[in-house]
């Protein structure tokens, strides 16, 4: 079995407000007993994370509460390309004209013509924090973070709460976390390493 993760991403938090919102969410998670305040070596990809707290099961469905999480919560603050790990992104939707553009064919091969502008923009955003991709249908220049990815495969953001090897968080729990994020758009990125 590999390691799996699920990440609640704040798509709108700027670099300047991310630390404050991160603190608010972690304070709430600690108050609820879902994670512990002191950080330990319990996550992948970061030196330290918050281990599960005594009430971790409040985040998951009742039937999943027998699978105690083996790892903790990594809080990502700062420019991050969140993505679904294994597999490929299938399609992306323009926020203006709502047209969905396929990026992979039926055999999961990336369609070069469609994918290349996104691939290049992802590199640029990673390096500089700004990138646009023109919509192939309405021709508008759309900022990379504003595209909607099928299954939330990607999110380009400055704040994310990444749970490692936890049972699936319930929609209610995710909504409670999102409610602490000043009404921002969010994404739920999950996958496996
Ligand atoms: Zn469009």
């Amino acid at each position: 079995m590999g390691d799996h993760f699920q990440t609640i991403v704040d798509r709108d938090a700027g670099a300047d407000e991310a630390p404050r919102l991160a603190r608010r969410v972690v304070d709430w998670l600690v108050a609820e007993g879902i994670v512990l305040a002191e950080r330990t070596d319990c996550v992948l990809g970061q030196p330290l994370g918050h281990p599960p707290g005594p009430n971790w099961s409040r985040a998951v469905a009742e039937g999943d509460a027998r699978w105690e999480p083996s790892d903790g919560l990594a809080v990502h603050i700062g420019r991050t390309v969140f993505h679904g790990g294994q597999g490929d992104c299938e399609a992306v939707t323009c926020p203006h004209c709502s047209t969905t553009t396929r990026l992979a064919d039926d055999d999961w091969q990336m369609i070069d013509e469609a994918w290349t502008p996104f691939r290049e923009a992802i590199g640029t955003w990673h390096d500089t924090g700004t990138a646009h991709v023109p919509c192939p249908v309405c021709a508008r220049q759309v900022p990379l973070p504003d595209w909607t990815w099928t299954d939330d495969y990607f999110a380009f953001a400055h704040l994310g709460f990444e749970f490692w090897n936890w049972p699936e968080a319930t929609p209610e729990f995710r909504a409670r976390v999102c409610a602490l994020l000043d009404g921002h758009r969010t994404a739920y990125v999950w996958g496996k390493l």
Side-chain angles (χ1 to χ4, degrees):
M1 245 180 73
D3 292 293
H4 62 273
F5 59 88
Q6 46 190 322
T7 313
I8 299 169
V9 179
D10 182 329
R11 293 175 60 190
D12 293 326
D16 49 338
E17 56 186 337
R20 176 176 60 81
L21 293 170
R23 217 167 19 246
R24 183 192 294 168
V25 170
V26 170
D27 284 350
W28 178 76
L29 291 169
V30 169
E32 288 281 311
I34 293 169
V35 301
L36 298 179
E38 66 271 26
R39 297 187 305 159
T40 65
D41 175 12
C42 67
V43 292
L44 284 77
Q46 279 197 348
L48 294 172
H50 297 274
N55 301 325
W56 63 267
S57 63
R58 289 183 184 177
V60 311
E62 215 171 298
D64 286 337
R66 58 182 183 272
W67 289 293
E68 191 167 342
S70 50
D71 296 296
L73 165 68
V75 181
H76 294 267
I77 299 171
R79 188 163 72 230
T80 306
V81 176
F82 295 96
H83 65 92
Q86 285 178 347
D88 283 312
C89 48
E90 190 182 339
V92 65
T93 302
C94 171
H96 295 293
C97 67
S98 300
T99 305
T100 296
T101 300
R102 290 192 69 180
L103 301 175
D105 64 20
D106 291 339
D107 298 321
W108 291 101
Q109 299 296 312
M110 300 310 285
I111 302 166
D112 276 341
E113 190 192 341
W115 169 236
T116 300
F118 286 97
R119 184 171 45 78
E120 291 175 354
I122 290 167
T124 303
W125 190 88
H126 179 267
D127 293 340
T128 68
T130 309
H132 292 73
V133 181
C135 174
V137 178
C138 71
R140 274 195 241 214
Q141 286 286 345
V142 180
L144 181 66
D146 289 349
W147 289 89
T148 300
W149 298 81
T150 301
D151 294 331
D152 284 354
Y153 186 85
F154 277 114
F156 304 92
H158 294 87
L159 178 61
F161 303 91
E162 185 177 60
F163 293 86
W164 280 98
N165 295 316
W166 282 49
E168 187 180 352
T170 60
E172 294 74 24
F173 170 73
R174 280 152 46 193
R176 292 187 73 184
V177 172
C178 294
L180 299 169
L181 297 174
D182 288 351
H184 290 167
R185 295 174 300 167
T186 57
Y188 178 56
V189 178
W190 52 273
K192 220 166 129 171
L193 288 191

